[in-house]
Amino acid sequence: MARTKINKTRERGSAEKWLKGAYDNLVQGGIDAVRITPLAEKLKLSRTSFYWFFEDRETLLTALIDLWRAKNTGNLIKQADCYAESISEAILNVFDCWLNPELFDSRFELSVRGWAQQSTKVSREIGTADEARLAALRRMFSRFGYAPLPADVRARTLYLTQIGYISLKAKEDVVTRMSRIGDYVAVFAGVAPQSRELNRFFSRHGYTNPDLVLEEL
């Protein structure tokens, strides 16, 4: 009896397996690739087993949006709200999102923004997410004494720069990107980061380069 139950579960998969398959298809082929029958074939599961976990395709799409919202928006807000001793350190906390796909999935972001071109509902989700993220970044600048308008402009500059990177599918090697980090912080904050702040940032991303090793101040 127990073995039969296990076999049935394997045949059906799981909600997580179906959602992961939907995610993979979305980032690889866009929203039109997220269809029940192709997913079932890819996952080697029966089409009917899908309905053990999701009412219909729309329910699966809603789960995808929930996953994107929790990961990309939730983590960006969390990083912006993290404790920091300076605005430079706070910005570097946010930059963690751009370098760690576990915090912010750029492929997912690009795919959802592409999906929004075909869906008014998803377009509204994008608008809501953008405003929530910008609000968190404004709060971050405000914590360090920036007046409302400069806080807003700096938040937009920081955020829209990264969205531009994602939308343009900009590629940089690690050395090039890391060499620009300090200047980006200076542009966004109006003050250069200290060497120890950059060193901590490099360290937590496993980056070492003799040309960029900075002495502690």
Side-chain angles (χ1 to χ4, degrees), residues 7-76:
N7 288 340
K8 289 293 184 183
T9 300
R10 286 175 178 169
E11 289 171 9
R12 295 171 189 154
S14 64
E16 292 76 17
K17 187 171 183 177
W18 282 100
L19 185 57
K20 176 62 166 57
Y23 162 85
D24 289 340
N25 279 18
L26 176 68
V27 299
Q28 292 167 12
I31 192 59
D32 290 337
V34 185
R35 304 272 175 193
I36 299 171
T37 298
L39 268 177
E41 292 172 354
K42 178 178 179 178
L43 297 173
K44 295 181 171 55
L45 297 170
S46 69
R47 188 179 189 280
T48 55
S49 69
F50 170 85
Y51 297 99
W52 280 89
F53 308 104
F54 298 97
E55 184 177 345
D56 50 26
R57 178 175 182 260
E58 192 60 33
T59 308
L60 176 63
L61 298 185
T62 297
L64 269 177
I65 289 295
D66 290 343
L67 179 64
W68 164 77
R69 188 191 304 114
K71 184 167 192 176
N72 285 9
T73 300
N75 283 334
L76 193 154

Side-chain angles (χ1 to χ4, degrees), residues 139-153:
R139 288 195 306 271
M140 181 185 75
F141 281 103
S142 296
R143 292 202 322 264
F144 292 94
Y146 292 80
L149 182 56
D152 178 65
V153 171

Side-chain angles (χ1 to χ4, degrees), residues 104-170:
F104 190 98
D105 188 331
S106 294
R107 293 197 307 160
F108 204 0
E109 185 75 13
L110 180 64
S111 299
V112 172
R113 288 180 180 274
W115 178 6
Q117 302 301 311
Q118 303 176 42
S119 167
T120 301
K121 178 182 177 180
V122 176
S123 181
R124 286 196 298 267
E125 289 281 355
I126 290 285
T128 299
D130 284 340
E131 185 47 47
R133 296 169 187 182
L134 284 167
L137 295 172
R138 284 194 294 268
R139 288 195 306 271
M140 181 185 75
F141 281 103
S142 296
R143 292 202 322 264
F144 292 94
Y146 292 80
L149 182 56
D152 178 65
V153 171
R154 291 180 187 279
R156 288 177 182 278
T157 304
L158 190 165
Y159 180 63
L160 295 177
T161 295
Q162 184 58 31
I163 295 302
Y165 260 87
I166 293 169
S167 298
L168 293 173
K169 301 181 183 179

